[in-house]
């Protein structure tokens, strides 16, 4: 294989991961036309198409998927060796790719990362915000920030925040009109603002616990979102009750924009953890980030 073909394959992997020529070009630091030219050259060299292109989207062909499956182990091995060499240096450096919910980014990651990249200019951090649980290997992420209950058994998890509790909240005007629920069963008579974490996943059922009694309610209402911040905004504007983590609405509660209900049914549980695969070599940059994020409570 020629050296330019290896570079072309890297461009192809980036386009496949991003699903978009423009985003891939931005990530690679080149023009969109350069990316398109590289893919055409690669397909001509291979003798088959690796991408399906439409005016709105890019997806891999069957042969493209097989090519990704063949390339990924080798590229991961190369990345591992490079990270091993980097870790021998005196100064942490390199790219750390993270996936996390917007809530985790806002309250856990950002306060630490803003100082990290200031202190270590050779470290670059990429954050992908997504409510669904992205696969680390598939997305080629170094780590994810997830609530403890959502960490898979094959991942190493490091606590990065205190215990968390959920909060059911609504605008005072809504509660004046519809009444205050005193038990989770009362939610059947209320408009609830629902979360759906993925386009094909079921809506999130609200989980409550008090003194060992657990109740799961399948709620419904006029609005469904895949991001908590939109649920909170809809609640502020009086469309119903939303159910999110307490930090996301603490300021609204203090300001009187939202009122908490069913608080006696929202017991604390293990909070956010940073998780990563034990099978992948850890870079010096990721090791430093974990050390700074680690919750020592």
């Amino acid at each position: 294989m020629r050296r330019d073909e290896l570079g072309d394959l890297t461009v192809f992997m980036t386009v496949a991961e991003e699903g978009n020529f423009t985003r891939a070009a931005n990530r690679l630091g080149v023009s969109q036309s350069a990316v398109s030219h590289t893919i055409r050259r690669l397909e001509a060299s291979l003798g088959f198409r690796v991408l399906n292109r439409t005016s709105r989207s890019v997806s891999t062909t069957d042969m493209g998927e097989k090519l990704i499956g063949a390339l990924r182990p080798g590229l991961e091995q190369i990345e591992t060796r490079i990270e091993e060499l980097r870790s021998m240096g005196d100064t942490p450096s390199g790219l750390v790719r993270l996936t996390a919910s917007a809530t985790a980014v806002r309250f856990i990651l950002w306060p630490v990362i803003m100082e990290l990249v200031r202190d270590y200019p050779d470290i670059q951090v990429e954050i992908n915000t997504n409510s669904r649980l992205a696969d680390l290997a598939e997305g080629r992420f170094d780590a994810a920030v997830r609530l403890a209950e959502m960490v898979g058994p094959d991942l190493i998890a490091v606590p990065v925040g205190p215990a968390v509790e959920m909060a059911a909240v609504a605008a005072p005007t809504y509660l004046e009109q519809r009444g205050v629920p005193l038990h989770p069963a009362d939610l059947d008579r209320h408009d609830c603002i629902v979360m759906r974490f993925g386009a094909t996943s079921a809506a999130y059922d609200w989980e409550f616990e008090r003194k060992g009694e657990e109740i799961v309610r399948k709620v419904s209402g006029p609005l469904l979102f895949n991001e908590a911040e939109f649920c909170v905004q809809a609640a502020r504007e009086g469309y119903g009750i939303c159910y999110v983590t307490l930090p996301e609405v603490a300021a609204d509660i203090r300001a009187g924009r939202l009122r908490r209900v069913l608080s006696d049914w929202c017991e604390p549980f293990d909070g956010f953890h940073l998780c990563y695969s034990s099978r992948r070599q850890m870079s010096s940059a990721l090791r430093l980030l974990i050390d700074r994020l680690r919750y020592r409570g």
Side-chain angles (χ1 to χ4, degrees):
M1 176 182 289
R2 302 192 310 270
R3 289 185 180 181
D4 59 342
E5 289 179 332
L6 181 59
D8 292 353
L9 290 169
T10 302
V11 172
F12 160 63
M13 291 288 288
T14 305
V15 174
E17 289 167 7
E18 295 293 341
N20 181 280
F21 276 92
T22 302
R23 289 196 297 270
N26 291 337
R27 181 169 150 190
L28 293 165
V30 299
S31 67
Q32 181 178 340
S33 60
V35 172
S36 298
H37 175 73
T38 299
I39 296 300
R40 288 195 297 270
R41 181 175 63 203
L42 175 65
E43 289 178 330
S45 173
L46 294 172
F48 56 82
R49 293 179 67 84
V50 294
L51 294 172
N52 293 314
R53 309 163 181 79
T54 69
S55 58
R56 295 186 178 182
S57 65
V58 176
S59 61
T60 52
T61 63
D62 289 341
M63 292 298 290
E65 283 294 323
K66 291 178 181 177
L67 180 59
I68 289 173
L71 290 172
R72 183 168 283 137
L75 290 175
E76 288 181 352
Q77 190 173 29
I78 291 171
E79 287 179 353
T80 297
R81 292 299 300 151
I82 290 174
E83 293 301 343
E84 288 174 352
L85 293 171
R86 278 184 178 145
S87 65
M88 296 177 186
D90 296 328
T91 304
S93 62
L95 172 66
V96 178
R97 300 191 71 230
L98 305 172
T99 177
S101 67
T103 300
V105 173
R106 188 178 301 114
F107 295 105
I108 302 294
L109 286 177
W110 178 239
V112 172
I113 287 174
M114 61 185 278
E115 293 184 357
L116 181 74
V117 295
R118 230 181 253 148
D119 295 343
Y120 295 89
D122 292 330
I123 291 179
Q124 184 181 26
V125 180
E126 178 182 346
I127 301 174
N128 180 282
T129 56
N130 202 323
S131 294
R132 73 178 183 87
L133 299 183
D135 181 85
L136 296 186
E138 181 182 347
R140 299 182 72 193
F141 293 110
D142 297 298
V145 178
R146 296 173 180 167
L147 289 172
E149 63 188 39
M150 298 179 179
V151 176
D154 58 332
L155 297 175
I156 296 173
V158 177
V160 293
V164 173
E165 59 184 271
M166 300 297 289
V169 295
T173 51
Y174 172 87
L175 296 174
E176 289 168 7
Q177 294 171 2
R178 302 290 297 273
V180 177
L182 302 177
H183 187 277
D186 296 340
L187 294 171
D188 293 345
R189 300 190 296 272
H190 283 269
D191 290 333
C192 296
I193 302 163
V194 184
M195 277 278 288
R196 189 197 302 275
F197 293 108
T200 58
S201 63
Y204 168 62
D205 294 335
W206 294 6
E207 302 169 277
F208 298 93
E209 182 176 356
R210 184 176 67 179
K211 298 178 181 178
E213 181 183 1
E214 298 181 8
I215 294 178
V216 178
R217 302 301 299 182
K218 188 175 292 295
V219 297
S220 63
L223 297 169
L224 293 91
F225 296 103
N226 72 331
E227 290 289 350
E229 64 179 290
F230 298 117
C231 296
V232 175
Q233 182 176 340
R236 282 193 210 107
E237 296 177 12
Y239 286 96
I241 301 172
C242 80
Y243 194 55
V244 296
T245 59
L246 182 56
E248 294 173 278
V249 289
D252 287 303
I253 294 171
R254 288 193 297 269
R257 291 185 292 268
L258 291 171
R259 180 178 164 191
R260 193 172 180 186
V261 299
L262 299 172
S263 58
D264 56 331
W265 282 93
C266 299
E267 295 188 353
F269 56 92
D270 287 342
F272 287 104
H273 284 61
L274 184 141
C275 51
Y276 57 94
S277 173
S278 60
R279 296 188 296 273
R280 187 166 183 175
Q281 176 71 24
M282 184 185 296
S283 69
S284 58
L286 178 58
R287 187 178 295 109
L288 178 62
L289 177 61
I290 291 173
D291 184 64
R292 290 204 174 190
L293 282 169
R294 187 186 301 272
Y295 181 69
R296 296 174 171 87

